[in-house]
Structures are given as C-alpha cells and as structure tokens.
mmCIF file of all heavy atoms in Angstrom:
data_model
loop_
_atom_site.group_PDB
_atom_site.id
_atom_site.type_symbol
_atom_site.label_atom_id
_atom_site.label_comp_id
_atom_site.label_asym_id
_atom_site.label_seq_id
_atom_site.Cartn_x
_atom_site.Cartn_y
_atom_site.Cartn_z
ATOM 1 N N LYS A 740 6.358 -75.648 28.054
ATOM 2 C CA LYS A 740 6.422 -76.979 27.465
ATOM 3 C C LYS A 740 5.016 -77.597 27.406
ATOM 4 O O LYS A 740 4.630 -78.207 26.403
ATOM 5 C CB LYS A 740 7.349 -77.888 28.277
ATOM 6 C CG LYS A 740 8.799 -77.545 28.143
ATOM 7 C CD LYS A 740 9.608 -78.508 28.982
ATOM 8 C CE LYS A 740 11.076 -78.120 28.982
ATOM 9 N NZ LYS A 740 11.876 -78.999 29.824
ATOM 10 N N ILE A 741 4.251 -77.434 28.467
ATOM 11 C CA ILE A 741 2.878 -77.970 28.508
ATOM 12 C C ILE A 741 2.016 -77.271 27.467
ATOM 13 O O ILE A 741 1.255 -77.920 26.730
ATOM 14 C CB ILE A 741 2.289 -77.820 29.931
ATOM 15 C CG1 ILE A 741 3.064 -78.696 30.908
ATOM 16 C CG2 ILE A 741 0.812 -78.185 29.932
ATOM 17 C CD1 ILE A 741 2.681 -78.469 32.372
ATOM 18 N N ILE A 742 2.146 -75.970 27.363
ATOM 19 C CA ILE A 742 1.351 -75.204 26.392
ATOM 20 C C ILE A 742 1.725 -75.609 24.971
ATOM 21 O O ILE A 742 0.855 -75.799 24.116
ATOM 22 C CB ILE A 742 1.547 -73.683 26.622
ATOM 23 C CG1 ILE A 742 0.910 -73.272 27.942
ATOM 24 C CG2 ILE A 742 0.955 -72.890 25.456
ATOM 25 C CD1 ILE A 742 1.186 -71.843 28.339
ATOM 26 N N LEU A 743 3.013 -75.780 24.688
ATOM 27 C CA LEU A 743 3.456 -76.174 23.365
ATOM 28 C C LEU A 743 2.981 -77.580 22.996
ATOM 29 O O LEU A 743 2.518 -77.808 21.868
ATOM 30 C CB LEU A 743 4.994 -76.119 23.293
ATOM 31 C CG LEU A 743 5.492 -75.090 22.288
ATOM 32 C CD1 LEU A 743 5.891 -73.844 22.982
ATOM 33 C CD2 LEU A 743 6.586 -75.716 21.501
ATOM 34 N N VAL A 744 3.075 -78.528 23.908
ATOM 35 C CA VAL A 744 2.625 -79.894 23.628
ATOM 36 C C VAL A 744 1.121 -79.921 23.380
ATOM 37 O O VAL A 744 0.645 -80.525 22.421
ATOM 38 C CB VAL A 744 3.032 -80.850 24.781
ATOM 39 C CG1 VAL A 744 2.357 -82.194 24.627
ATOM 40 C CG2 VAL A 744 4.548 -81.018 24.832
ATOM 41 N N ASN A 745 0.351 -79.277 24.242
ATOM 42 C CA ASN A 745 -1.108 -79.238 24.055
ATOM 43 C C ASN A 745 -1.490 -78.506 22.770
ATOM 44 O O ASN A 745 -2.409 -78.916 22.057
ATOM 45 C CB ASN A 745 -1.790 -78.594 25.260
ATOM 46 C CG ASN A 745 -1.780 -79.505 26.474
ATOM 47 O OD1 ASN A 745 -1.661 -80.711 26.347
ATOM 48 N ND2 ASN A 745 -1.897 -78.911 27.654
ATOM 49 N N GLY A 746 -0.812 -77.426 22.468
ATOM 50 C CA GLY A 746 -1.063 -76.696 21.230
ATOM 51 C C GLY A 746 -0.780 -77.556 20.016
ATOM 52 O O GLY A 746 -1.507 -77.529 19.021
ATOM 53 N N GLY A 747 0.307 -78.334 20.068
ATOM 54 C CA GLY A 747 0.640 -79.240 18.968
ATOM 55 C C GLY A 747 -0.412 -80.314 18.782
ATOM 56 O O GLY A 747 -0.765 -80.671 17.656
ATOM 57 N N ILE A 748 -0.904 -80.850 19.891
ATOM 58 C CA ILE A 748 -1.950 -81.876 19.818
ATOM 59 C C ILE A 748 -3.218 -81.292 19.199
ATOM 60 O O ILE A 748 -3.826 -81.902 18.323
ATOM 61 C CB ILE A 748 -2.218 -82.471 21.212
ATOM 62 C CG1 ILE A 748 -0.994 -83.279 21.672
ATOM 63 C CG2 ILE A 748 -3.462 -83.344 21.192
ATOM 64 C CD1 ILE A 748 -1.076 -83.740 23.114
ATOM 65 N N VAL A 749 -3.617 -80.103 19.624
ATOM 66 C CA VAL A 749 -4.819 -79.451 19.081
ATOM 67 C C VAL A 749 -4.637 -79.183 17.591
ATOM 68 O O VAL A 749 -5.544 -79.405 16.780
ATOM 69 C CB VAL A 749 -5.135 -78.154 19.859
ATOM 70 C CG1 VAL A 749 -6.174 -77.321 19.135
ATOM 71 C CG2 VAL A 749 -5.589 -78.469 21.262
ATOM 72 N N LEU A 750 -3.440 -78.718 17.188
ATOM 73 C CA LEU A 750 -3.168 -78.456 15.782
ATOM 74 C C LEU A 750 -3.214 -79.743 14.961
ATOM 75 O O LEU A 750 -3.818 -79.781 13.874
ATOM 76 C CB LEU A 750 -1.797 -77.783 15.646
ATOM 77 C CG LEU A 750 -1.414 -77.341 14.245
ATOM 78 C CD1 LEU A 750 -2.377 -76.259 13.764
ATOM 79 C CD2 LEU A 750 0.015 -76.834 14.230
ATOM 80 N N LEU A 751 -2.642 -80.815 15.471
ATOM 81 C CA LEU A 751 -2.646 -82.099 14.778
ATOM 82 C C LEU A 751 -4.070 -82.646 14.613
ATOM 83 O O LEU A 751 -4.451 -83.101 13.528
ATOM 84 C CB LEU A 751 -1.771 -83.111 15.537
ATOM 85 C CG LEU A 751 -1.628 -84.489 14.906
ATOM 86 C CD1 LEU A 751 -0.922 -84.374 13.561
ATOM 87 C CD2 LEU A 751 -0.891 -85.421 15.830
ATOM 88 N N VAL A 752 -4.863 -82.591 15.680
ATOM 89 C CA VAL A 752 -6.258 -83.053 15.608
ATOM 90 C C VAL A 752 -7.047 -82.195 14.629
ATOM 91 O O VAL A 752 -7.864 -82.695 13.848
ATOM 92 C CB VAL A 752 -6.900 -83.062 17.018
ATOM 93 C CG1 VAL A 752 -8.392 -83.271 16.937
ATOM 94 C CG2 VAL A 752 -6.258 -84.123 17.886
ATOM 95 N N GLY A 753 -6.814 -80.883 14.619
ATOM 96 C CA GLY A 753 -7.502 -79.997 13.682
ATOM 97 C C GLY A 753 -7.198 -80.329 12.243
ATOM 98 O O GLY A 753 -8.075 -80.336 11.380
ATOM 99 N N VAL A 754 -5.935 -80.628 11.933
ATOM 100 C CA VAL A 754 -5.546 -80.988 10.566
ATOM 101 C C VAL A 754 -6.183 -82.308 10.162
ATOM 102 O O VAL A 754 -6.692 -82.450 9.040
ATOM 103 C CB VAL A 754 -3.997 -81.045 10.451
ATOM 104 C CG1 VAL A 754 -3.560 -81.683 9.127
ATOM 105 C CG2 VAL A 754 -3.396 -79.658 10.574
ATOM 106 N N ILE A 755 -6.199 -83.283 11.057
ATOM 107 C CA ILE A 755 -6.810 -84.582 10.759
ATOM 108 C C ILE A 755 -8.298 -84.416 10.486
ATOM 109 O O ILE A 755 -8.845 -84.963 9.521
ATOM 110 C CB ILE A 755 -6.538 -85.588 11.899
ATOM 111 C CG1 ILE A 755 -5.066 -85.973 11.932
ATOM 112 C CG2 ILE A 755 -7.408 -86.830 11.730
ATOM 113 C CD1 ILE A 755 -4.665 -86.797 13.134
ATOM 114 N N ILE A 756 -8.988 -83.646 11.313
ATOM 115 C CA ILE A 756 -10.424 -83.416 11.120
ATOM 116 C C ILE A 756 -10.679 -82.698 9.795
ATOM 117 O O ILE A 756 -11.589 -83.048 9.052
ATOM 118 C CB ILE A 756 -11.012 -82.635 12.311
ATOM 119 C CG1 ILE A 756 -11.052 -83.535 13.544
ATOM 120 C CG2 ILE A 756 -12.406 -82.108 11.987
ATOM 121 C CD1 ILE A 756 -11.479 -82.824 14.805
ATOM 122 N N TYR A 757 -9.850 -81.701 9.468
ATOM 123 C CA TYR A 757 -10.014 -80.977 8.204
ATOM 124 C C TYR A 757 -9.872 -81.925 7.018
ATOM 125 O O TYR A 757 -10.667 -81.885 6.077
ATOM 126 C CB TYR A 757 -8.983 -79.845 8.109
ATOM 127 C CG TYR A 757 -8.979 -79.176 6.766
ATOM 128 C CD1 TYR A 757 -9.966 -78.261 6.428
ATOM 129 C CD2 TYR A 757 -8.008 -79.483 5.814
ATOM 130 C CE1 TYR A 757 -9.986 -77.657 5.194
ATOM 131 C CE2 TYR A 757 -8.022 -78.892 4.571
ATOM 132 C CZ TYR A 757 -9.011 -77.982 4.262
ATOM 133 O OH TYR A 757 -9.032 -77.393 3.026
ATOM 134 N N VAL A 758 -8.865 -82.781 7.036
ATOM 135 C CA VAL A 758 -8.650 -83.718 5.931
ATOM 136 C C VAL A 758 -9.829 -84.680 5.800
ATOM 137 O O VAL A 758 -10.321 -84.935 4.697
ATOM 138 C CB VAL A 758 -7.315 -84.485 6.130
ATOM 139 C CG1 VAL A 758 -7.199 -85.640 5.151
ATOM 140 C CG2 VAL A 758 -6.135 -83.545 5.990
ATOM 141 N N LEU A 759 -10.314 -85.211 6.913
ATOM 142 C CA LEU A 759 -11.436 -86.150 6.866
ATOM 143 C C LEU A 759 -12.705 -85.489 6.341
ATOM 144 O O LEU A 759 -13.405 -86.045 5.491
ATOM 145 C CB LEU A 759 -11.675 -86.753 8.247
ATOM 146 C CG LEU A 759 -10.608 -87.732 8.748
ATOM 147 C CD1 LEU A 759 -10.899 -88.126 10.198
ATOM 148 C CD2 LEU A 759 -10.553 -88.955 7.867
ATOM 149 N N VAL A 760 -13.027 -84.319 6.858
ATOM 150 C CA VAL A 760 -14.253 -83.626 6.437
ATOM 151 C C VAL A 760 -14.162 -83.197 4.980
ATOM 152 O O VAL A 760 -15.118 -83.356 4.210
ATOM 153 C CB VAL A 760 -14.542 -82.425 7.367
ATOM 154 C CG1 VAL A 760 -15.634 -81.546 6.798
ATOM 155 C CG2 VAL A 760 -14.930 -82.902 8.746
ATOM 156 N N SER A 761 -13.008 -82.660 4.572
ATOM 157 C CA SER A 761 -12.903 -82.206 3.180
ATOM 158 C C SER A 761 -12.971 -83.375 2.201
ATOM 159 O O SER A 761 -13.561 -83.249 1.128
ATOM 160 C CB SER A 761 -11.611 -81.407 2.969
ATOM 161 O OG SER A 761 -10.485 -82.247 3.111
ATOM 162 N N SER A 762 -12.403 -84.519 2.548
ATOM 163 C CA SER A 762 -12.472 -85.663 1.627
ATOM 164 C C SER A 762 -13.897 -86.211 1.527
ATOM 165 O O SER A 762 -14.357 -86.570 0.442
ATOM 166 C CB SER A 762 -11.506 -86.768 2.056
ATOM 167 O OG SER A 762 -11.914 -87.343 3.268
ATOM 168 N N SER A 763 -14.607 -86.265 2.635
ATOM 169 C CA SER A 763 -15.986 -86.752 2.570
ATOM 170 C C SER A 763 -16.899 -85.751 1.864
ATOM 171 O O SER A 763 -17.802 -86.143 1.128
ATOM 172 C CB SER A 763 -16.515 -87.083 3.966
ATOM 173 O OG SER A 763 -16.588 -85.925 4.745
#
C-alpha cells in the first residue's frame, strides 16, 4: 500500500511537470 501510494504520487508529479515544461 505504501509503495503504491508513493508510486502514484511520483507518477502524478511527473505528469504535472511534463505538462508544464512542454507547454512552456
């Protein structure tokens, strides 16, 4: 459960960073 939650957070942050960098 801890690994899945942390993995989800890392995946979510990665997607947000990708969207921000690609738009700029």
